[in-house]
Every structure is written in structure tokens, then in C-alpha cells.
Amino acid sequence: MSTPAYDPAARRLTFSDRVRAFADGSDTPRKYLERCLETIAAREPVVQAWVCTNVDGARSAADEAGARYKAGRPLSGVDGCPIGVKDLIATKDMPTEMGTPAMKGRVTNEDSSSVQALRRGGAVILGKLVTTEMGMSHPGPTTNPWDPARTPGGSSSGSAAAVAADMVPVALGTQVGGSIIRPSAYCGNISLKPTQGALNRGERQGYSQSTVGPHANSIEDMWACTWQIGVDAGGDPGSPGLYGDPTPAAPRKPRRLIAVETEGWAVADAATHQAFEKICASLKQAGVEIITRKSSAKIEAYEQSISTAGAGTAVTCGWEARWSWRNFAERYPGQMSASLGERLNRAEGYTLETYRTAVMRREDMRQRHAELMVDADAVIALSCPGIAPHSGPPGGNEVRTTGNAACNYFTSAIGMPAITLPLMAVAGMPVGVQLCGAVHGDHALTGLAAWVLANVKPVAV
């Protein structure tokens, strides 16, 4: 199957719009699953999004969901929905290899909290999706569905690619720096990085900025997955969890948006600048007020504060994970990639005082963001600083990369919800725009995102 051309306005695979057909018998979850499997068979040889699948288990779960729809008793908004799971997240029926050959065949024999919650809602857990090594920067084999010479991003590489290639309508990813929003933006998906702690991370609580969130092709599917995890598994220990309703908020026109440059603006190319400015102009034309650092000293101070988010994330991540990386290096000598080894070496140079300074700067960002959200509905920014960069095949001469997370560090550091929307095409490739809300404003943000999707025409430059 040839690689299709990217069209931000094209219809993509969704699930929620098939529920009525499941209820009246004109379609079934099993038939839907089989269509997904056909797409996987056609596109996987090039995209390489999957580590493994459990097709028999998925078919059984789809048949059980079909019986519930026939009886008029679906369990949730994801009942019967095929979902892929990033291979950092534990599954009882498939290995969890975390993107490293050192853990080949490793079976946990238990589900992570998010997977358990989805199964309890009737979701069809189809398989495990490629991640970078230990969720860091060393890439796996996955390619971008719109250009196999380019990266899909990371670390949720397979999750982004599988949804973009219409293999599944929903996939779980995780983010510490930019690992949900950036790959989703590179691949043209709709994704949510939830409020920090709003969704229970199960075993993945070693990082203070880590989140779990869905990749999807619609606001409805994205929120159905998020809600099911939130209502069944709750938030992280000590967190109040996810606020909202089982369905997304009604579309709502934003009154005022704050357009921020972030660290990513300086490294974004001119075409990406132009496309983003056209999106902002379209919003202004629709009656939305857009304010920036040029017109507000308060926003300028915010921009200055978040300019250290990338460096701060490197410190907090390295300090919090170095004990784990040390154990990995000791247990699997010679099997750590050079890039992860470099991260460990840098982390060994951090001190408690280095970490404290980063945390205090992060607290300053959070306070400034809370103050800004009193004056605006959301922040709008680039989701990535341009199109996905080239990334050659494993073993080749080209430097392999998952791209630059400079547009994402501030949302992870602040812990706010962020939704990326596929509103731009640059040189025929996706580039996302993100809306970022108040902490615990995830549900309200879905309404703003739905309005923007319905009222802002995608831009191609």
C-alpha cells in the first residue's frame, strides 16, 4: 500500500460515530476490528508501529462488546473500541518491553491502571505500540505515516503513527516533556495531555511530570478514552482526579486567547511561523481576541519564565530517574544506548540543590500560568516547531531523531491540560496547534477545541 498524501481536512478513522450502527445492528465491534486489522496488514510493513498484538484476545473482546450492544447495555463510550497501548504501559496478556532489547519478552502479568480501566469499560486492547528506549530519545523503528523518511516523533512513536495510519481510532501515550503532543502534531492527530495527576499512571509514577493520555482522530474518541480511565482508575494518589462529564463539553467560542511563542518559536522555520500567524488571523476574524507578549508585560514575564522549561525538565527528569537508569546499566551491561548513557552521565552531575532550583522555577511558571488564566480562556501555541525531521532507518548513516520538544516543555512543567489540533500543513506534512487550559480545566478545553476545529479552516503553506 502506497503512502497517502497528507490532507488536514480529510476524514480519518473514528469510533464514536459508529456506536449507533452497533446499537441497530448495521455494524458490529467485531466487523470494525476486522477493518482495523486489514489496515494494519496493509500499512504495518512500512509504518512499523506495533511491537506485538493479541488478535485472538481482541476478537473475543469485540464479540463480547457486540453482545452488549445487541442487548442494549454497552459499558462505556469505549465499549468495543480497538485501542493500542504504548509499550511503556503494562499489559497482563502481552509483553512490556519498554523499547529496549534488554527487556525482550518481559511479561508483567498485570495491567496498568489505565489499561485495567479501559478493559473494564469494554475496550478492545489490541496490542502494544513502539516506544523509544525507556521512553527517552533513542528511536524505535516506527516511521511517519505521511513520509516514511521522517520520524513520527517520540516517545509515543507507535501510538501516534497507528492512529494517523487509521490502524486504530485510539492509542495510549505518555508524556514527561513532549511525548504525547509532539508526535501527535507530527502525525496529524488530536491528542490530550491531561492535567498532571488527573489520570492514574499506575506503575509509571517515577517522574513528577509524567502523564498518560490518548491519541485519537476526534475530540469525542479522545475524551471517551480519557473519561473511562478517569472515572474507573481515578487520578494519581492524592490527586482529585479528572473533572467533567462523560461526553466532551459543548463547542464554545473562546473570548480571549493568549498566543505564546515558547522555546519553540526561535527554532521554528518561517513557513511554520506563517502558518501559525494565519491561524491566529483566522481566529481574530471570527471575533476571538488574541493577545501576546508584545501587548502585555504580564505575558512577557510568563514567556521569560517558561523559557527555562526545557532545561528544567532535563534536570527534574534526570534527577528523578537516575536511580532507575543506574539499575538498568548495572542489570543489562552494554545494552543501554549511547543517548541514554549520555543522559545518565549528565544526571550524575546534578545535585539536590540543582533539582531544588529547577522545582522552584517550575513553581514560578505554575503561579504565573494560574494568574494568566484569570484573564483568558486558554493559551494557544505551536505543538511542534515545524514538520517532522528526517530520521533514517536503524543502522543507516543518517542521524536518527524523534524531533524537538521545545514547544511542549512548558505544558509538562506547569501540569496544565493541552490538546493538539491538526490545523496546519507545511510542505505537505502535519504541524499541530495546541490549546492549553487552566489546571483541571480539561473538560472545558474540549469545548474550546471543538469550536476551533469547527470554525477555523486548516492552513496549508
Side-chain angles (χ1 to χ4, degrees), residues 26 202 213 243-244 277 285 402-403:
S26 58
Y243 290 92
E277 287 163 355
Q285 197 168 35
T402 58

Side-chain angles (χ1 to χ4, degrees), residues 322-390:
R322 64 181 187 170
W323 68 272
S324 177
W325 297 342
R326 287 168 182 159
N327 283 333
F328 181 92
E330 181 179 330
R331 184 175 180 183
Y332 305 107
Q335 297 196 57
M336 178 180 281
S337 71
S339 63
L340 185 53
E342 290 169 5
R343 283 178 182 260
L344 175 56
N345 288 337
R346 286 196 298 273
E348 296 291 17
Y350 301 147
T351 65
L352 180 57
E353 189 59 35
T354 310
Y355 178 71
R356 283 174 178 160
T357 299
V359 169
M360 291 303 293
R361 287 177 177 168
R362 186 172 69 182
E363 288 303 312
D364 178 66
M365 295 179 217
R366 292 177 176 181
Q367 181 61 38
R368 292 180 186 277
H369 183 74
E371 292 170 358
L372 279 187
M373 288 298 94
V374 174
D375 301 325
D377 296 290
V379 164
I380 185 170
L382 290 170
S383 300
C384 54
I387 66 175
H390 283 97

Side-chain angles (χ1 to χ4, degrees), residues 235-259:
D236 285 342
S239 166
L242 185 73
Y243 290 92
D245 298 313
T247 55
R252 179 171 68 89
K253 178 181 175 179
R255 174 182 56 89
R256 177 183 293 155
L257 295 174
I258 299 170

Side-chain angles (χ1 to χ4, degrees), residues 185-234:
Y186 282 159
C187 291
N189 303 336
I190 296 170
S191 290
L192 169 67
K193 183 208 78 68
T195 290
Q196 183 66 47
L199 299 185
N200 191 300
R201 292 173 287 161
E203 73 282 3
R204 290 202 52 77
Q205 297 186 53
Y207 296 103
S208 61
Q209 292 182 190
S210 174
T211 54
V212 59
H215 292 252
N217 287 316
S218 73
I219 298 290
E220 292 78 9
D221 289 351
M222 178 196 78
W223 187 252
C225 177
T226 303
W227 178 258
Q228 177 56 29
I229 296 171
V231 76
D232 189 274

Side-chain angles (χ1 to χ4, degrees), residues 11 14-33 35 62 65-72 74 77 79-80:
R11 181 165 178 77
T14 53
F15 179 79
S16 58
D17 57 347
R18 301 307 303 161
V19 168
R20 182 172 296 178
F22 299 154
D24 67 23
S26 58
D27 196 4
T28 68
R30 175 64 180 271
K31 290 178 181 177
Y32 188 100
L33 171 65
R35 295 194 293 271
R68 289 190 291 271
Y69 279 106
K70 187 175 181 179
D79 200 353

Side-chain angles (χ1 to χ4, degrees), residues 99-425:
T100 170
M103 297 187 184
K104 184 73 174 175
R106 170 179 170 263
V107 178
T108 63
N109 294 309
E110 61 182 30
D111 284 336
S112 187
S113 54
S114 55
V115 175
Q116 185 181 92
L118 290 170
R119 288 197 207 269
R120 283 164 55 85
V124 176
I125 305 302
L126 178 54
K128 303 302 285 293
L129 293 159
V130 171
T131 181
T132 59
E133 177 195 33
M134 306 290 284
M136 293 293 115
S137 56
H138 186 68
T142 309
T143 65
N144 192 295
W146 309 110
D147 182 350
R150 297 182 183 274
T151 180
S155 61
S156 303
S157 309
S159 301
V163 169
D166 290 341
M167 296 176 174
V168 284
V170 180
L172 282 188
T174 64
Q175 177 163 320
V176 175
S179 296
I180 294 172
I181 299 298
R182 180 174 87 261
S184 189
Y186 282 159
C187 291
N189 303 336
I190 296 170
S191 290
L192 169 67
K193 183 208 78 68
T195 290
Q196 183 66 47
L199 299 185
N200 191 300
R201 292 173 287 161
E203 73 282 3
R204 290 202 52 77
Q205 297 186 53
Y207 296 103
S208 61
Q209 292 182 190
S210 174
T211 54
V212 59
H215 292 252
N217 287 316
S218 73
I219 298 290
E220 292 78 9
D221 289 351
M222 178 196 78
W223 187 252
C225 177
T226 303
W227 178 258
Q228 177 56 29
I229 296 171
V231 76
D232 189 274
D236 285 342
S239 166
L242 185 73
Y243 290 92
D245 298 313
T247 55
R252 179 171 68 89
K253 178 181 175 179
R255 174 182 56 89
R256 177 183 293 155
L257 295 174
I258 299 170
V260 298
E261 295 179 356
T262 77
E263 299 170 79
W265 192 258
V267 295
D269 58 88
T272 300
H273 286 174
Q274 179 187 6
F276 182 72
E277 287 163 355
K278 285 186 176 183
I279 293 294
C280 290
S282 180
L283 285 163
K284 289 179 183 177
Q285 197 168 35
V288 179
E289 182 183 4
I290 305 289
I291 54 176
T292 71
R293 67 193 309 172
K294 295 177 181 178
S295 58
S296 167
K298 193 174 181 179
I299 297 173
E300 174 61 29
Y302 178 75
E303 289 269 27
Q304 292 292 333
S305 175
I306 66 175
S307 69
T308 65
T313 294
V315 170
T316 55
C317 177
W319 178 265
E320 292 166 356
R322 64 181 187 170
W323 68 272
S324 177
W325 297 342
R326 287 168 182 159
N327 283 333
F328 181 92
E330 181 179 330
R331 184 175 180 183
Y332 305 107
Q335 297 196 57
M336 178 180 281
S337 71
S339 63
L340 185 53
E342 290 169 5
R343 283 178 182 260
L344 175 56
N345 288 337
R346 286 196 298 273
E348 296 291 17
Y350 301 147
T351 65
L352 180 57
E353 189 59 35
T354 310
Y355 178 71
R356 283 174 178 160
T357 299
V359 169
M360 291 303 293
R361 287 177 177 168
R362 186 172 69 182
E363 288 303 312
D364 178 66
M365 295 179 217
R366 292 177 176 181
Q367 181 61 38
R368 292 180 186 277
H369 183 74
E371 292 170 358
L372 279 187
M373 288 298 94
V374 174
D375 301 325
D377 296 290
V379 164
I380 185 170
L382 290 170
S383 300
C384 54
I387 66 175
H390 283 97
S391 186
N397 294 324
E398 188 173 8
V399 175
R400 305 192 68 229
T401 177
T402 58
N404 192 333
C407 296
N408 315 119
Y409 292 125
F410 82 113
T411 66
S412 293
I414 292 169
M416 70 179 90
I419 296 176
T420 183
L421 304 174
L423 289 176
M424 304 191 303

